[in-house]
Amino acid sequence: MVRLEPSPSRARPFHEPTRFASLGAVFLGDRPSTIRSYRGLTYFERPGTPDIGQTLDFGDEPGVKVEFHDLYGGLYSGIAREW
């Protein structure tokens, strides 16, 4: 798990073909109103709009985790949040 900075997104580009990748985020204190995953966006498109990606659920945990498959092309995949 990584600590999220004040930016609205945590992501990384996948320049080399990547079969499986897992990203997670833990929130200490207040939780964002919405948290979602996104994939295949350029640097300037990220974190995208709320209709892109999958909404993630905290459940009873303080964080979330998402798994991605078959990433490539230098495009970004990650976790976005809205307060």
Side-chain angles (χ1 to χ4, degrees):
M1 299 286 183
V2 295
R3 183 176 175 151
L4 291 176
E5 298 303 322
S7 71
S9 163
R10 177 70 183 163
R12 66 175 294 192
F14 290 88
H15 299 289
E16 297 295 326
T18 304
R19 184 79 173 125
F20 300 103
S22 179
L23 295 175
V26 174
F27 293 89
L28 305 175
D30 295 336
R31 292 181 178 181
S33 60
T34 304
I35 187 163
R36 61 186 168 79
S37 67
Y38 62 90
R39 64 174 287 149
L41 298 181
T42 67
Y43 177 83
F44 296 105
E45 291 174 320
R46 67 187 182 107
T49 58
D51 60 327
I52 295 175
Q54 170 187 351
T55 301
L56 304 174
D57 184 26
F58 284 103
D60 294 331
E61 301 296 321
V64 294
K65 183 177 176 182
V66 63
E67 294 184 2
F68 297 100
H69 304 278
D70 302 317
L71 302 171
Y72 57 89
L75 299 175
Y76 283 79
S77 296
I79 298 172
R81 63 196 185 278
E82 287 86 31
W83 295 97

